């Protein structure tokens, strides 16, 4: 009877050590292994950076589409560009250029 009890105690301890070892192995893989928590955190940072970059590009695209629509439908935008970028004036307008005085 005592021998049987000692054997079952040894078996229980052995099973306990096996379970502790397996649990430790699983924890190691969870924290440090491939696709573990560290990889997850790194990927989350990369996703956040990509989303910020995408948001900037979306904003820029919206501005470009707005400008394209304005150029297609309105003459004011075309006139403004012609005046500012090409220096054009309307018929009947007089263009005055004010040159700053040079100091000697």
């Amino acid at each position: 009877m005592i021998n049987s009890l000692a054997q079952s105690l040894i078996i229980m301890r052995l099973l306990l050590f096996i379970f502790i070892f397996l649990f430790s192995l699983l924890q190691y893989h969870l924290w440090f292994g491939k696709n573990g928590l560290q990889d997850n955190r790194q990927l989350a940072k990369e996703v956040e950076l990509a989303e910020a970059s995408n948001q900037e590009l979306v904003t820029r695209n919206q501005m470009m589409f707005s400008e394209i629509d304005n150029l297609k439908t309105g003459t004011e935008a075309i006139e403004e560009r012609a005046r500012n970028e090409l220096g054009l004036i309307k018929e009947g307008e007089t263009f005055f250029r004010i040159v700053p005085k040079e100091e000697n």
Side-chain angles (χ1 to χ4, degrees), residues 1 11 16 22 48-49 54 57 59 62 70 78 92 94 100:
M1 169 110 171
I11 291 173
L16 178 66
L22 289 176
E48 188 176 318
L49 290 174
N54 285 347
L57 293 174
T59 304
Q62 287 174 347
N70 196 5
I78 296 171
T94 306

Side-chain angles (χ1 to χ4, degrees), residues 78-90 93:
I78 296 171
E79 183 178 326
E80 180 184 344
R81 279 196 159 206
R83 288 178 183 272
N84 292 334
E85 294 178 12
L86 302 175
L88 300 178
I89 58 173
K90 282 185 180 178
E93 284 185 335

Side-chain angles (χ1 to χ4, degrees), residues 9-82:
L9 235 158
I10 292 173
I11 291 173
M12 292 296 273
R13 285 187 181 176
L14 182 61
L15 283 174
L16 178 66
F17 287 125
I18 290 173
F19 286 139
I20 289 174
F21 175 75
L22 289 176
F23 182 73
S24 300
L25 189 64
L26 289 173
Q27 286 295 312
Y28 175 80
H29 285 295
L30 173 69
W31 290 96
F32 305 109
K34 184 178 179 183
N35 297 326
L37 292 178
Q38 288 181 344
D39 287 346
N40 189 7
R41 287 187 188 129
Q42 180 64 29
L43 288 174
K45 288 179 186 177
E46 290 177 17
V47 165
E48 188 176 318
L49 290 174
E51 286 176 346
S53 175
N54 285 347
Q55 186 58 41
E56 290 175 12
L57 293 174
V58 164
T59 304
R60 189 188 78 184
N61 285 348
Q62 287 174 347
M63 288 174 35
M64 287 174 40
F65 287 133
S66 173
E67 187 174 345
I68 288 170
D69 288 341
N70 196 5
L71 288 172
K72 284 181 179 179
T73 59
T75 57
E76 292 175 2
I78 296 171
E79 183 178 326
E80 180 184 344
R81 279 196 159 206

